[in-house]
Amino acid sequence: MAIIIAFSLIATTIVALAIRRRYLLVDIHGSSMYPALLPGDRVVFDRTRRERLRIGDVVLLRVPEHALPSTDGFEDLRGNDHAYRFVKRVVALGGQNFPPGIPGGGRDRLVPEGTVVVLGESMNSLDSRQWGAVPHRWVYAVARFSPAESPGRRREIQMTARRFIPSQKDHR
């Protein structure tokens, strides 16, 4: 009996560690993703989906300190690795057209391969409007769901996402 209990505890620990390594629960601070995400919302992010980004995905970025104009006011977003965490929505991937109002792309206005364009829902958001296309390596995880999402909020989030999804002619 003791062997079965010990085995169960070991198996439970291994499963818990695997889940913790893959998923990350993030508390939302600030209003850059309002109305899709509100301060105090909690979102589950999947660290393994970074390579399969799609337009409209909400992502957790790890932005290096040197990429910020100033770190004033961002202290609560700083991680142990001296990078800052931001939640944004993917609006363009490498090889696609830059959305209007986003700097970069040269004459052909194409997002360079290996980069993504990310925006907050708010016009006051610190995002690709200031940074241009960001390196794919800044994408740390992709949102899976918000445990506190109600059906009404889910509909609102989807409607907000539609603003950023380009028309078919913009897909490559």
Side-chain angles (χ1 to χ4, degrees), residues 10-22:
I10 291 171
T12 302
T13 302
I14 290 171
V15 169
L17 289 173
I19 289 171
R20 190 165 182 213
R21 183 177 178 95
R22 179 174 180 170

Side-chain angles (χ1 to χ4, degrees), residues 2-82:
I3 293 174
I4 294 173
I5 292 172
F7 179 74
S8 297
L9 288 173
I10 291 171
T12 302
T13 302
I14 290 171
V15 169
L17 289 173
I19 289 171
R20 190 165 182 213
R21 183 177 178 95
R22 179 174 180 170
Y23 297 105
L24 183 66
L25 183 62
V26 174
D27 293 317
I28 301 299
H29 300 278
S31 59
S32 71
M33 288 298 290
Y34 177 84
L37 298 171
L38 306 175
D41 281 353
R42 301 182 91 187
V43 181
V44 174
F45 284 88
D46 183 345
R47 297 180 219 209
T48 64
R49 284 203 50 232
R50 297 182 311 188
E51 303 304 319
R52 299 184 308 260
L53 291 178
R54 297 184 312 238
I55 302 293
D57 280 346
V58 174
V59 296
L60 179 65
L61 300 175
R62 283 176 32 188
V63 179
E65 189 171 347
H66 66 78
L68 298 175
S70 164
T71 57
D72 294 340
F74 295 118
E75 292 80 17
D76 58 337
L77 303 177
R78 188 173 187 179
N80 294 337
D81 58 357
H82 301 287

Side-chain angles (χ1 to χ4, degrees), residues 92-112:
L93 301 168
Q96 295 179 329
N97 291 327
F98 265 91
I102 307 297
R107 289 189 330 183
D108 61 3
R109 297 288 296 155
L110 292 180
V111 176

